Amino acid sequence: MKVKQQLKQLKPYQPGKPIEEVKREYRLETVIKLASNENPYGCSPLAQQAIMKELDYLALYPDGYSRSLREALAKHVGVNEKQLIFGNGSDEVVQIVCRAFLQKGTNTVMATPTFPQYRHNAIIEGAEVREIPLQDGHHHLEAMLEAIDDDTRVVWICSPNNPTGTYVNDASLRAFLDKVPKHVLVVVDEAYYEYVQAEDYPNTVSLLQQYENMMILRTFSKAYGLAALRIGYGIAHEHILQAIEPAREPFNTSRLAQVAALAALNDQTFIEQCAQKNKQGLSQFYTFCDEHSLHYYKSEGNFILIDFGFSGDEVFTYLLQRGIIVRSGCALGFPTAVRITVGSPEQNETIIRVLTNMLKERSEQFCEETF
């Protein structure tokens, strides 16, 4: 049997190590996972209650239109309900966009390093991928514009960007959109939107009124704490979503995901508290980095990318042996860095203490080798 030729150049997505596997491999009782940018505070109690009530209906297919969630989300976001499309995580909306717009003879433009599923899905569809290196951790928008031509179909902007945590501000995004040809769809991926604190972060939903060739992606996996249920969404003009709707699988979001997302949406106090705690957690890491003269990017997400100046795999292994799971930068395009999810204050204190010991040990080892 012969699979698509383009699949041969791809590797399956490699998630962070699961807690159970690390416990078993290193014979540990306690493991802290700070690798996948999950919410350390879980999800709203209202979401948990909604899931319990829905368990009697697991034999029934979900609402393929997601009407209850759709109506509530449209009101919350401030758009018409037909301006929403739901996916099995926002990852699936990425896949739907690629299915709908990309094929052999077309191209797509994106930053690098960034969220890898843009590239992954584009290659599967046979499109040319034009990757523009980040400029000091930020999207190089001018170079991305120069890469666009008549065959470009989709441009991806991940803001806040994964893995750097940097963002595209309002003025820069507007200037970029003004210059993008109307035949090109600009997808602004805002998976970490609820964590953003920057005052000049764009109100992308309001920009839809001016730019019909824009689409926004958001998710319930991060701040809403529903990663296990896989539900995300896209926001765009109705005519775009009508055109790509045939690429969406039927019943692609489960009953549990829909009711949990609806309940979580109605608990914005929980979201605001998580965002504030995340801000405080980032400050813990900024202080650590400043004290040890480590390079990092100010993050608008719930994670931080720290450059230690030596192999990220080495840092990853050191932490793993001590029961802490992070993400090595070697797999993210930053070989001397690691990406750390912001945890609870206690979890942050623990990893900072372990990292401090690691740096001390390396310093002592260096001194011994020198003398």
Side-chain angles (χ1 to χ4, degrees), residues 277-289:
K277 292 175 182 177
N278 183 72
K279 179 182 178 181
Q280 295 167 356
L282 282 169
S283 294
Q284 289 179 270
F285 285 104
Y286 295 158
T287 299
F288 162 73
C289 290

Side-chain angles (χ1 to χ4, degrees), residues 165-214:
T166 56
Y167 71 103
V168 176
N169 66 32
D170 182 70
S172 297
L173 182 59
R174 287 174 182 271
F176 180 78
L177 291 169
D178 283 338
K179 297 175 183 177
V180 174
K182 300 306 178 186
H183 75 275
V184 177
L185 178 69
V186 178
V187 180
V188 183
D189 188 346
E190 298 185 325
Y192 301 93
Y193 171 78
E194 290 78 12
Y195 288 113
V196 173
Q197 301 291 317
E199 293 183 0
D200 61 347
Y201 190 85
N203 182 340
T204 47
V205 173
S206 69
L207 292 179
L208 287 172
Q209 299 174 15
Q210 184 176 351
Y211 305 100
E212 291 195 9
N213 61 329
M214 186 175 76

Side-chain angles (χ1 to χ4, degrees), residues 77-361:
V77 174
V79 296
N80 184 290
E81 66 178 54
K82 292 184 178 180
Q83 288 184 259
L84 296 171
I85 185 170
F86 292 93
N88 190 247
S90 57
D91 302 47
E92 190 193 18
V93 185
V94 172
Q95 183 186 59
I96 291 169
V97 169
C98 291
R99 271 186 178 182
F101 287 97
L102 301 179
Q103 60 186 341
K104 187 175 181 180
T106 66
N107 68 71
T108 181
V109 177
M110 65 195 69
T112 185
T114 191
F115 184 54
Q117 293 308 102
Y118 314 143
R119 178 181 185 276
H120 186 94
N121 283 287
I123 288 176
I124 290 175
E125 299 303 326
E128 176 193 352
V129 176
R130 297 182 175 180
E131 296 178 293
I132 309 302
L134 296 174
Q135 192 174 46
D136 191 27
H138 293 75
H139 283 65
H140 192 343
L141 296 179
E142 290 184 7
M144 292 175 71
L145 278 171
E146 292 175 1
I148 295 173
D149 62 20
D150 291 343
D151 296 322
T152 305
R153 295 294 179 267
V154 184
V155 174
W156 306 88
I157 295 178
C158 188
S159 180
N161 186 48
N162 181 6
T164 57
T166 56
Y167 71 103
V168 176
N169 66 32
D170 182 70
S172 297
L173 182 59
R174 287 174 182 271
F176 180 78
L177 291 169
D178 283 338
K179 297 175 183 177
V180 174
K182 300 306 178 186
H183 75 275
V184 177
L185 178 69
V186 178
V187 180
V188 183
D189 188 346
E190 298 185 325
Y192 301 93
Y193 171 78
E194 290 78 12
Y195 288 113
V196 173
Q197 301 291 317
E199 293 183 0
D200 61 347
Y201 190 85
N203 182 340
T204 47
V205 173
S206 69
L207 292 179
L208 287 172
Q209 299 174 15
Q210 184 176 351
Y211 305 100
E212 291 195 9
N213 61 329
M214 186 175 76
M215 184 175 190
I216 304 159
L217 303 185
R218 293 181 184 173
T219 184
F220 287 95
S221 294
K222 302 304 179 183
Y224 285 95
L226 299 176
L229 296 181
R230 312 304 301 124
I231 184 163
Y233 60 97
I235 315 168
H237 278 269
E238 183 179 346
H239 68 89
I240 293 178
L241 299 186
Q242 283 183 338
I244 71 174
E245 181 68 21
R248 181 180 68 86
E249 296 293 333
F251 308 119
N252 61 328
T253 58
S254 71
R255 298 185 70 95
L256 297 184
Q258 290 181 29
V259 298
L262 176 57
L265 191 67
N266 289 326
D267 191 356
Q268 289 301 308
T269 299
F270 175 81
I271 298 300
E272 292 166 5
Q273 291 173 345
C274 289
Q276 188 60 34
K277 292 175 182 177
N278 183 72
K279 179 182 178 181
Q280 295 167 356
L282 282 169
S283 294
Q284 289 179 270
F285 285 104
Y286 295 158
T287 299
F288 162 73
C289 290
D290 291 340
E291 288 177 349
H292 296 277
S293 300
L294 298 173
H295 181 268
Y296 64 95
Y297 298 106
K298 284 287 184 74
S299 176
E300 294 296 330
N302 67 336
F303 57 90
I304 184 170
L305 185 74
I306 303 175
D307 190 339
F308 286 89
F310 53 93
S311 173
D313 282 349
E314 184 178 336
V315 182
F316 168 82
T317 301
Y318 184 95
L319 292 171
L320 194 65
Q321 293 170 343
R322 288 154 182 80
I324 303 173
I325 312 172
V326 297
R327 201 83 158 111
S328 170
C330 292
L332 303 173
F334 290 89
T336 59
V338 296
R339 190 193 67 194
I340 303 171
T341 302
V342 177
S344 67
E346 296 76 20
Q347 290 173 331
N348 299 336
E349 289 170 5
T350 297
I351 189 172
I352 286 172
R353 182 175 65 252
V354 174
L355 288 171
T356 300
N357 289 337
M358 178 194 72
L359 293 173
K360 182 180 179 182
E361 290 173 12

